[in-house]
Amino acid sequence: MRCRAGPSRGPGFRSRKPRSPLLPERPRVVIIGGGGHAKVVIEALRAAGFPPPLGILDPRPPAPMVLGVPVLGGNERLERLRAEGAADAVVALGDNRLRQAMGGRLAELGFRLPPVLHPAAQLSPTARVLEGAVVMARACLGPDAEIGLLAIVNTAAVVEHDNRLGPAAHVAPGCALAGGVMVGERALVGVGSSVRPGMVIGADAVVGAGSAVVRDVPPGARVGGVPARPLGEGR
Ligand SMILES: CC(C)(COP(=O)(O)OP(=O)(O)OC[C@H]1O[C@@H](n2cnc3c(N)ncnc32)[C@H](O)[C@@H]1OP(=O)(O)O)[C@@H](O)C(=O)NCCC(=O)NCCS
């Protein structure tokens, strides 16, 4: 599923509010995960006009309710919920590998994974957001940016023109990715990092908080600092 332009908020950008009464109702979703990331997702769902979620599935919930949303049980409830008619889910797990695995399981069970776009995010009309991805408040997506399946663009992150975020990648709060950056599958760009134009961050790589990426990052590498260098090698 690709998410495209809604009503315009300013020159060249679009907002998803207010929704037209002619548009179909947004679904009641099942939320997978009840941790900190789920709180941000719940608030984004509410702001975006989704109706109250059906509930949260989490095998180790921090509390019986998360921001007023009830925890229904663990993931063993999924099949039953699907059989009872639940058809839409949001994977609110911050761990990239877990989020991707759970997205696969949900797809096998026939769940849809609607993208969640906070109305205070700014999206170029040519940006694309794929299924299961979330774009948080004050994030900014530039022209022709593509946000992959189950990826996260977190609060106030700037993902500039022609970026490609792979499946289950995560650009953390306050990052600034210049034009043409590629972020590989399940890679994490840590909070407050900056990335030079055209850099390639490989699959499963981790960019530490507050880094400046000025060289490509190989798949699976862990880098950090300004400029970012491999971690664990005498640093
Ligand atoms: C990079 C990171 C994953 C490393 O975590 P870790 O494996 O627990 O590593 P440690 O904290 O034990 O640190 C290992 C070494 O790397 C250094 N280091 C850790 N994070 C660093 C960073 N962001 N920049 C520079 N150096 C860093 C530490 O100082 C330490 O150096 P030393 O061995 O010389 O003492 C973590 O520090 C980080 O930055 N995570 C990003 C989290 C984030 O943004 N999440 C998004 C949430 S929404």
Side-chain angles (χ1 to χ4, degrees):
M1 176 195 300
R2 290 182 181 227
C3 190
R4 283 209 169 261
S8 175
R9 178 216 304 259
F13 282 90
R14 68 186 200 258
S15 148
R16 288 141 305 283
K17 249 185 170 179
R19 288 178 63 74
S20 158
L22 298 176
L23 290 174
E25 273 304 298
R26 294 195 167 187
R28 293 192 71 188
V29 300
V30 179
I31 298 173
I32 312 299
H37 181 55
K39 291 184 176 177
V40 190
V41 167
I42 289 166
E43 293 205 336
L45 285 165
R46 287 176 178 156
F50 281 76
L54 291 167
I56 291 168
L57 298 187
D58 190 323
R60 287 180 298 280
M65 304 266 275
V66 179
L67 296 185
V69 180
V71 178
L72 305 175
N75 296 333
E76 72 284 350
R77 297 282 314 268
L78 266 178
E79 281 87 348
R80 182 77 185 270
L81 282 165
R82 184 71 190 100
E84 288 169 358
D88 295 87
V90 177
V91 190
L93 300 170
D95 182 293
N96 293 347
R97 194 167 285 278
L98 282 182
R99 191 169 64 260
Q100 188 175 47
M102 185 51 72
R105 185 168 168 210
L106 288 163
E108 278 170 20
L109 290 172
F111 279 93
R112 293 180 296 244
L113 301 169
V116 179
L117 311 177
H118 195 292
Q122 287 200 308
L123 278 68
S124 153
T126 54
R128 298 174 294 281
V129 180
L130 305 192
E131 260 195 320
V134 295
V135 181
M136 300 307 190
R138 294 174 47 234
C140 185
L141 305 187
D144 268 338
E146 182 169 291
I147 310 306
L149 185 72
L150 293 156
I152 301 171
V153 181
N154 224 320
T155 309
V158 174
V159 173
E160 257 302 344
H161 65 88
D162 301 303
N163 272 224
R164 293 284 177 278
L165 267 55
H170 179 180
V171 176
C175 286
L177 276 52
V181 170
M182 309 284 152
V183 182
E185 190 164 2
R186 296 178 301 273
L188 167 67
V189 185
V191 60
S193 295
S194 301
V195 183
R196 197 167 93 166
M199 296 291 96
V200 177
I201 296 171
D204 297 303
V206 174
V207 174
S211 301
V213 175
V214 298
R215 298 275 178 269
D216 289 348
V217 179
R222 288 155 70 83
V223 302
V226 180
R229 296 215 170 87
L231 294 177
E233 294 180 3
R235 299 192 66 197

